[in-house]
Amino acid sequence: MLVVRPAGPADLDHLLELAILSGPGFTSLPEDPDQLAERLELGRDSFAGKLAPQQCWYTLMLEESDTGDVDGVGSVKAAVGLNRPFFSFRLVNNTQSSPSLGVKLDHQTLVLVNECTGWSEVGSLFLKADRRKGGAGRLLSQSRYMLIGAQPELFADNVLAELRGVFTPDGACPFWDHVAHKFFPMEFDDADRMTGSTDKQFILDLSPRHPIYVELLPEPARAVIGKVHPQGVPAMALLESEGFRPNGLVDIFDGGPTVACGRDNIRTVRDARRLTARIADEVEAELPALISTASVTAFRAVRQKAAVEGDAVTLTRETAEALKVRDGDAVRVKM
């Protein structure tokens, strides 16, 4: 059975493997054991309730319960931009006109902004290639919203997600090469690493002070602004199915889009119900349901058959064991 569970320090090797497989541009999964170890310790303390809510960063692992194989990762960051700025480029539409000439022109510019301070972020969604079919990605993605819905007061009213921008098959990034690299004279991987490991002061020091006119950029750069990496297209579809929409912000390094949704308007947060678990040897149900524990502490989630009747839901013993819940415990269910 596939189970989504909290990640902890013991998962370092698994997380490093996933980071290496994720490839360039996946800022939240750096190929740096020290950074990943620090993140896993932060995740452990977050799930244990040892941190202030806005300091929490919850990392989740997708595990095959029978084999112990870890095949995917996802995360929820309770708040961004508090200790380190959360920089983006905003695509701004500008209209200029000359009545005497009868000319009206529309221009787009890229403007450096820090607009999302305090928002929650869902991210780090990555699965091994052989797990990208059969609903594993949807389970892992939706588990993040089940986590938010379990205790929504721990998260912000607005939730965002950043998607990786376009890279060519040989690993080049058109937006970086033609735009960002002009202001950051370093390799993309170095800028990517510094984004996750420093206070980001270098971005404030080196970023353009004035709007960048999109029309003046080379065509390869213009073509990828706000576009998603091919590997990120399924993730974008999952986000859109939950109600996320582009908000006009793009990543300052790869030009990938940012999408956002109100916390309480996320479909899985809104539609999941808090029910009382009943355990039986067998459950009659046509379709599986998304089921999770009802609190952030020791959070777990699965997709298994469940029978809802009133305010109770009947689970099989195997499902209850995977969730580590007992008869009478509260669970959350989305049919």
Side-chain angles (χ1 to χ4, degrees):
M1 183 186 303
L2 290 177
V3 180
V4 177
R5 59 158 179 82
D11 288 304
L12 179 58
D13 288 344
H14 298 307
L15 190 57
L16 181 58
E17 179 188 11
L18 292 167
I20 293 170
L21 290 173
S22 68
F26 217 110
T27 306
S28 61
L29 287 179
E31 297 178 26
D32 184 322
D34 292 337
Q35 284 191 54
L36 295 178
E38 183 178 347
R39 173 174 169 178
L40 290 170
E41 291 173 0
L42 177 60
R44 175 198 59 201
D45 293 343
S46 298
F47 281 107
K50 295 181 178 180
L51 303 173
Q54 289 185 319
Q55 296 177 341
C56 292
W57 189 358
Y58 306 92
T59 299
L60 299 166
M61 291 297 196
L62 178 72
E63 180 178 294
E64 171 53 64
S65 60
D66 293 337
T67 64
D69 292 340
V70 173
D71 295 328
V73 60
S75 75
V76 182
K77 190 177 290 188
V80 300
L82 297 181
N83 297 323
R84 297 180 297 176
F86 189 85
F87 291 117
S88 306
F89 278 135
R90 172 162 289 286
L91 271 169
V92 178
N93 293 313
N94 303 279
T95 299
Q96 293 176 285
S97 62
S98 173
S100 62
L101 295 178
V103 174
K104 182 178 180 181
L105 298 173
D106 293 320
H107 299 286
Q108 276 195 322
T109 57
L110 294 168
V111 179
L112 186 72
V113 297
N114 178 22
E115 297 183 1
C116 300
T117 299
W119 290 26
S120 294
E121 180 184 15
V122 291
S124 304
L125 185 67
F126 182 78
L127 291 93
K128 293 180 180 177
D130 57 358
R131 274 295 183 198
R132 294 174 191 166
K133 295 182 180 179
R138 182 173 291 274
L139 167 62
L140 183 55
S141 177
Q142 289 184 302
S143 294
R144 300 174 301 176
Y145 313 127
M146 295 294 274
L147 176 74
I148 292 172
Q151 292 181 256
E153 69 277 5
L154 298 179
F155 303 92
D157 292 340
N158 294 304
V159 182
L160 65 87
E162 287 189 303
L163 290 118
R164 182 165 36 165
V166 173
F167 286 73
T168 61
D170 62 359
C173 177
F175 189 84
W176 171 264
D177 291 341
H178 295 289
V179 184
H181 187 50
K182 307 300 182 184
F183 302 96
F184 301 97
M186 60 188 73
E187 295 298 320
F188 179 94
D189 290 344
D190 291 333
D192 196 34
R193 174 183 53 78
M194 291 176 65
T195 297
S197 62
T198 71
D199 61 4
K200 300 185 182 180
Q201 180 63 38
F202 80 102
I203 295 178
L204 196 59
D205 292 339
L206 299 177
S207 289
R209 298 289 191 270
H210 305 286
I212 299 171
Y213 278 80
V214 173
E215 287 175 301
L216 300 181
L217 299 177
E219 171 57 26
R222 296 201 307 269
V224 299
I225 294 173
K227 299 296 191 298
V228 181
H229 190 289
Q231 290 185 3
V233 171
M236 182 66 155
L238 290 172
L239 286 160
E240 290 176 336
S241 72
E242 292 288 339
F244 285 80
R245 295 294 182 268
N247 66 351
L249 301 178
V250 300
D251 186 84
I252 64 171
F253 291 154
D254 63 26
T258 299
V259 295
C261 186
R263 180 196 64 204
D264 299 335
N265 293 325
I266 299 173
R267 184 164 285 110
T268 295
V269 173
R270 184 188 66 210
D271 294 349
R273 297 176 58 198
R274 184 183 176 96
L275 302 172
T276 300
R278 300 299 179 210
I279 301 174
D281 292 326
E282 296 183 1
V283 171
E284 292 186 10
E286 293 184 6
L287 297 173
L290 181 63
I291 314 162
S292 79
T293 54
S295 69
V296 165
T297 304
F299 177 84
R300 297 173 77 86
V302 299
R303 190 181 302 280
Q304 293 293 317
K305 288 187 175 181
V308 175
E309 185 174 353
D311 292 330
V313 58
T314 302
L315 314 175
T316 65
R317 297 189 187 282
E318 183 183 19
T319 298
E321 289 173 3
L323 293 171
K324 297 187 177 181
V325 298
R326 295 177 294 182
D327 194 89
D329 285 348
V331 294
R332 297 185 74 248
V333 180
K334 181 182 184 298
M335 304 301 292

